[in-house]
Amino acid sequence: MLSSGVVLASSQALADEGQWQPYQMPSIADKLSEKGIDIPAKQLADLTQYPMNAVVGLGYCTASFVSPQGLVVTNHHCAYRAIQYNSKKEHNYIADGFLATSKIDEPTAGPNERLYITEAVTNVSEQVTRDLSQDPLVRYEEIQSNRKSLIKSCESDDNYRCSVRSFHSGLEYYLIKQLIIRDVRLVYAPPESAAAFGGDIDNYEYPRHSADFTFLRAYVGKDGKPAVFSQDNVPYQPKSHLKINIDGVKAGDGVFVAGYPGSTSRYRLTSELKFASDWLYPTFASRYQLRIDTIAMMGAADKGVKIKYAGTLAGMANRMKKYNGLLDGFKATDITGIKQAREDDFKQWLATDKTYQSYQTQLDNLENLLVKKRSNSQTRYYFENAQSSSLLGAANKLYRLSREKTKPDAEREEGYQERDMKMFKARLKRIDSSFDVSVDKALWLQDLEAYNAQDNRVAALDAMLIDNKQSVSLSEKLDGLYSLTSMTAQDKRLDWMDAKSEDFETSADPFIRLAVALFDTNMAQETDKKTLAGELSQARPDYMKAVIAYYKANDWPVYPDANGTLRITYGMVDGYQSRDALYKQPFTRLEGITAKHTGIEPFNAPTKLLKAIEEQRYGNHKVETVYQDPASWLCRLFSCLDKPKSFGSVPVNFLSSVDTTGGNSGSPVFNGKGELVGLNFDSTYEAITKDWFFNPTITRAVHVDFRYILWMMDEVDHADNLIQELDLVRN
């Protein structure tokens, strides 16, 4: 047997840390080659070439084109809103699944669903940061003005959405240009009992057996340009679509993932980690658990509520488990101690490096600003939650819009410019799909009671809602608000988009009145946030300059924290030694589904899927082995010592060491040739702390094996029309 020390050294030698910007790929070409990734790094850096021009964003997840007719594949949980939008009491596609056997049967995914195709990423750091003021608030506003100017120039064509994103905490800025597909339709989704088999119990766990996939389709006008939903629209023809390798991958194979990871905090200070561990995550987790329990209870009593809040509940449960995983991980691995040791070493390096010795002062200043930021966050937390009603949130935004519309468009706050109005309107419409008065009131009441039980009070809110004489209970007060408002009606909400601020200020609608009453306090707090952001926009970049130099001096990978922009990460198919001292094999089999099946949610696999397994209808999807010849790779990773003699089934899910996080859901997993072999959908529980620190020995991402997707399409749901669209290749 290999000793634990050898195992650790081997794993560290194979460390695959890095969420790389595409342009960085040539700089790590040697590392890609070592993993057996043969596609040229220069090709991966080019967003106009295969495969990167087939990778798209959903705004919160990742997807990819897999046919010349605009067919898109992503995770089931990423397409959940589209499935929920089309589910009714008479046909519950969440529970039963959905398959359109022809394009005419493909329903809209909803007014808010978009596909974003990144076409260009341009470094605009100099344009954003040139000649900035030393006054914090003015500095913040100048940065925003520079960003908006670049965005306006980029969006000369209404079919494009542009953004300017900060990298390395404001040290760099990039302009990102994306084509928007506005007509997205639902094509094929398995039942939730297959897609989320194991539910929250298995979430972030392994072994997994999830069919977490869904197909959508992009449509455009007959002229080939993006257009809103219309029966006259035609399938979008992407510049390229991914080839799907039906032979898949084996343990030890190199793989890479492209997608839109949401947020990581790997360069944050130890004090920030301690705050997250001691206050932020426990506080958030406590609130989420209360909301989850309330929605679940009310959904159990009302099927309509259960459907409406299915997506909300799933998202909350996912975040809840992540917070708990982070807290458990901090304790189990002492991430705080690891971060502190590295930070101490960084400070010693600062003291000895002539170029960066003076940066200790900037570091001290940054720490002082972070103390202020943490204090402000705690002070505002309960007041911000006390505005959690969906109707009050809409009223707040509508009144803000009326005030912003009095300014020139370039001076308006982001989110309230003319470029934002289509999405603004769509969000107001979408409230209906996940809103119920009784649920909204119950959740809001919980937040108001929490606000009422602490000392950081806002007079305007108290005056409107808190009856100190207690002649009327808070619950009864809210009943009155909901009974008197017209904000529950979609057409009334939309009418307010054209109203003037005076109309709001004279309105008798209780939610509008409350929005007006809270406006000054909200704006004052926003100004405080902007001022602090302006101070941090000086302190953070200085800190990052020194940190990057320190990392380079140690020959560590240097890449920006995730920020929702397109990234590439590489690794290899591999199992791991889990927290319970058991080795987790890299692949799971169909038989694992029947072994876990109890018939009781969440282990209630669909009957037709179980029958196909029972009858061993594997077709040509059966795989005899998921391991390479041991002689050729025995020393590459230790998992070969525990490999089973024969696989003899269809692979369901598999593990790899790629570096992913939230937002990478739905990301295509490629083999070394750039062919699609799976979809990223989760991480292992032990790996959750990678948002703060990447531990190569236990960090594993969980993927849906595309061989399982093809098997379900072929043997279970008979999606022959879609299989014919796919570009299938073999090794």
Side-chain angles (χ1 to χ4, degrees):
M1 286 184 63
L2 294 174
S3 71
S4 59
V6 174
V7 166
L8 182 59
S10 174
S11 243
Q12 287 176 334
L14 295 170
D16 303 320
E17 177 181 356
Q19 295 173 345
W20 303 90
Q21 293 175 265
Y23 86 86
Q24 293 182 288
M25 300 314 288
S27 70
I28 59 169
D30 57 333
K31 299 182 185 299
L32 298 175
S33 181
E34 287 172 6
K35 284 290 186 291
I37 298 171
D38 299 324
I39 188 169
K42 187 176 180 180
Q43 184 175 335
L44 295 178
D46 190 344
L47 301 184
T48 67
Q49 289 195 51
Y50 179 97
M52 296 305 293
N53 60 357
V55 180
V56 299
L58 296 173
Y60 45 87
C61 279
T62 306
S64 49
F65 287 114
V66 288
S67 94
Q69 299 178 64
L71 192 65
V72 171
V73 68
T74 187
N75 286 156
H76 183 276
H77 76 263
C78 292
Y80 206 92
R81 293 193 311 195
I83 303 166
Q84 176 192 358
Y85 181 82
N86 286 285
S87 293
K88 305 290 185 288
K89 290 183 179 180
E90 56 271 22
H91 56 256
N92 188 347
Y93 297 146
I94 296 174
D96 304 330
F98 173 80
L99 172 63
T101 55
S102 65
K103 294 185 182 67
I104 197 171
D105 297 323
E106 298 172 356
T108 175
N112 270 34
E113 293 309 307
R114 303 284 188 274
L115 294 177
Y116 299 94
I117 306 169
T118 300
E119 293 190 358
V121 177
T122 308
N123 191 327
V124 292
S125 304
E126 184 180 353
Q127 294 96 308
V128 174
T129 60
R130 184 191 303 126
D131 300 327
L132 295 176
S133 171
Q134 296 302 303
D135 178 272
L137 182 57
V138 175
R139 181 186 183 88
Y140 174 87
E141 297 292 359
E142 287 176 345
I143 290 173
Q144 301 313 306
S145 178
N146 292 341
R147 290 177 65 252
K148 286 188 281 189
S149 178
L150 288 163
I151 289 169
K152 183 177 181 179
S153 177
C154 178
E155 291 182 344
S156 56
D157 184 335
D158 190 48
N159 293 320
Y160 285 89
R161 183 78 172 181
C162 300
S163 61
V164 174
R165 299 292 184 92
S166 165
F167 291 74
H168 289 306
S169 299
L171 185 60
E172 297 177 341
Y173 289 88
Y174 283 81
L175 174 67
I176 295 144
K177 184 176 183 179
Q178 297 178 307
L179 182 71
I180 315 171
I181 303 296
R182 295 187 173 91
D183 185 353
V184 183
R185 305 189 192 180
L186 180 63
V187 178
Y188 169 40
E192 186 177 32
S193 54
F197 183 73
D200 190 51
I201 295 173
D202 270 6
N203 191 21
Y204 288 116
E205 300 293 346
Y206 195 84
R208 292 290 289 277
H209 301 84
S210 298
D212 199 350
F213 71 89
T214 290
F215 287 86
L216 307 170
R217 196 184 303 277
Y219 281 79
V220 291
K222 290 183 177 180
D223 59 359
K225 295 181 179 180
V228 296
F229 175 82
S230 169
Q231 294 293 352
D232 294 330
N233 286 349
V234 297
Y236 172 69
Q237 296 181 5
K239 292 180 180 177
S240 70
H241 61 277
L242 301 182
K243 298 177 181 178
I244 300 168
N245 190 301
I246 60 177
D247 291 322
V249 284
K250 295 181 177 180
D253 282 352
V255 291
F256 67 97
V257 166
Y260 293 83
S263 176
T264 54
S265 305
R266 293 180 187 166
Y267 296 104
R268 296 300 190 190
L269 278 69
T270 307
S271 62
E272 295 177 273
L273 172 56
K274 288 179 179 177
F275 177 68
S277 176
D278 295 344
W279 186 84
L280 193 67
Y281 293 160
T283 303
F284 282 7
S286 177
R287 177 172 180 255
Y288 274 125
Q289 189 61 63
L290 186 61
R291 295 169 77 83
I292 288 167
D293 292 343
T294 301
I295 295 172
M297 179 186 68
M298 300 181 79
D302 186 325
K303 187 176 180 181
V305 165
K306 184 175 182 179
I307 292 174
K308 279 191 171 186
Y309 282 86
T312 302
L313 189 61
M316 285 184 179
N318 185 62
R319 287 191 290 272
M320 179 70 193
K321 191 153 189 179
K322 181 167 184 175
Y323 287 137
N324 287 334
L326 284 162
L327 293 170
D328 288 346
F330 292 155
K331 296 172 186 175
T333 318
D334 189 21
I335 301 296
T336 303
I338 294 170
K339 292 278 287 184
Q340 188 64 63
R342 177 168 288 190
E343 194 168 305
D344 291 342
D345 188 67
F346 168 62
K347 290 178 180 178
Q348 291 179 9
W349 177 85
L350 272 183
T352 58
D353 188 278
K354 294 181 180 179
T355 304
Y356 293 97
Q357 281 178 341
S358 63
Y359 279 65
Q360 181 62 53
T361 302
Q362 283 94 321
L363 180 57
D364 293 339
N365 178 47
L366 176 57
E367 286 282 24
N368 291 332
L369 291 173
L370 292 174
V371 170
K372 182 179 179 182
K373 181 180 180 181
R374 291 191 285 270
S375 176
N376 290 349
S377 296
Q378 290 173 305
T379 300
R380 290 192 295 258
Y381 177 77
Y382 292 98
F383 172 64
E384 291 175 348
N385 286 348
Q387 301 175 70
S388 63
S389 163
S390 296
L391 299 187
L392 178 55
N396 280 337
K397 289 181 171 61
L398 285 163
Y399 182 51
R400 176 73 179 272
L401 176 63
S402 73
R403 301 285 291 255
E404 293 291 335
K405 285 169 72 173
T406 63
K407 306 174 187 177
D409 189 61
E411 296 177 16
R412 295 187 199 175
E413 191 72 16
E414 282 190 272
Y416 297 92
Q417 295 179 283
E418 287 302 320
R419 65 190 287 269
D420 303 308
M421 288 304 97
K422 290 178 181 177
M423 187 59 74
F424 193 104
K425 185 175 183 179
R427 287 184 181 129
L428 288 176
K429 288 182 176 180
R430 200 184 80 195
I431 289 174
D432 293 339
S433 65
S434 55
F435 174 82
D436 178 88
V437 166
S438 61
V439 178
D440 195 65
K441 181 209 160 186
L443 297 177
W444 190 26
L445 179 60
Q446 291 170 355
D447 282 332
L448 286 170
E449 288 174 338
Y451 162 82
N452 205 23
Q454 51 88 54
D455 297 328
N456 296 311
R457 310 301 287 272
V458 174
L461 180 60
D462 289 356
M464 290 289 290
L465 292 177
I466 310 301
D467 187 344
N468 293 323
K469 297 179 181 178
Q470 296 185 342
S471 57
V472 178
S473 71
L474 184 54
S475 179
E476 291 172 322
K477 184 87 171 179
L478 297 192
D479 284 339
L481 267 63
Y482 283 98
S483 65
L484 294 172
T485 187
S486 63
M487 291 288 289
T488 52
Q490 184 183 120
D491 59 337
K492 299 296 183 183
R493 292 195 301 270
L494 296 178
D495 286 345
W496 281 108
M497 285 187 67
D498 299 318
K500 296 181 179 180
S501 55
E502 307 90 75
D503 299 324
F504 286 83
E505 291 151 13
T506 57
S507 173
D509 188 293
F511 282 97
I512 298 296
R513 288 179 60 217
L514 186 52
V516 172
L518 298 180
F519 181 77
D520 288 342
T521 302
N522 281 326
M523 291 304 295
Q525 292 191 354
E526 183 177 295
T527 299
D528 289 343
K529 286 182 183 179
K530 289 178 177 179
T531 302
L532 182 57
E535 293 177 298
L536 288 169
S537 73
Q538 293 176 290
R540 288 270 196 203
D542 286 341
Y543 165 70
M544 285 307 304
K545 285 178 187 176
V547 167
I548 289 172
Y550 167 67
Y551 271 55
K552 288 182 177 178
N554 284 281
D555 196 27
W556 294 335
V558 177
Y559 55 89
D561 265 322
N563 62 355
T565 59
L566 187 57
R567 305 294 180 90
I568 300 173
T569 174
Y570 66 92
M572 65 186 295
V573 179
D574 191 11
Y576 74 107
Q577 200 75 25
S578 74
R579 56 183 169 164
D580 53 10
L582 294 174
Y583 181 76
K584 299 291 181 74
Q585 295 287 345
F587 290 89
T588 59
R589 307 160 72 242
L590 286 180
E591 288 72 18
I593 299 174
T594 54
K596 284 184 176 181
H597 175 75
T598 63
I600 302 172
E601 189 178 350
F603 295 101
N604 55 331
T607 301
K608 58 183 178 180
L609 189 150
L610 292 171
K611 187 176 182 181
I613 298 173
E614 181 185 358
E615 296 174 356
Q616 295 192 350
R617 296 203 314 266
Y618 298 157
N620 61 359
H621 308 286
K622 184 177 180 179
V623 174
E624 292 302 331
T625 180
V626 290
Y627 286 87
Q628 302 175 12
D629 175 11
S632 69
W633 68 294
L634 181 61
C635 299
R636 290 187 61 193
L637 73 167
F638 59 91
S639 56
C640 60
L641 298 179
D642 296 314
K643 75 182 184 71
K645 293 181 180 179
S646 176
F647 193 77
S649 186
V650 178
V652 177
N653 296 157
F654 69 96
L655 297 171
S656 84
S657 59
V658 296
D659 186 357
T660 60
T661 190
N664 273 123
S665 289
S667 291
V669 183
F670 298 96
N671 65 10
K673 297 178 182 178
E675 298 160 344
L676 186 62
V677 294
L679 299 179
N680 184 74
F681 76 97
D682 205 359
S683 295
T684 55
Y685 195 75
E686 298 91 335
I688 292 176
T689 52
K690 66 186 172 181
D691 280 2
W692 287 89
F693 180 80
F694 187 91
N695 184 341
T697 62
I698 59 173
T699 297
R700 294 294 182 271
V702 188
H703 315 300
V704 187
D705 197 305
F706 222 97
R707 288 170 288 192
Y708 179 45
I709 297 175
L710 291 170
W711 175 78
M712 282 200 67
M713 297 173 75
D714 186 14
E715 297 291 341
V716 179
D717 291 321
H718 307 293
D720 302 330
N721 57 313
L722 300 182
I723 293 175
Q724 292 173 6
E725 279 193 54
L726 304 178
D727 191 352
L728 305 177
V729 298
R730 305 199 77 115
N731 290 334

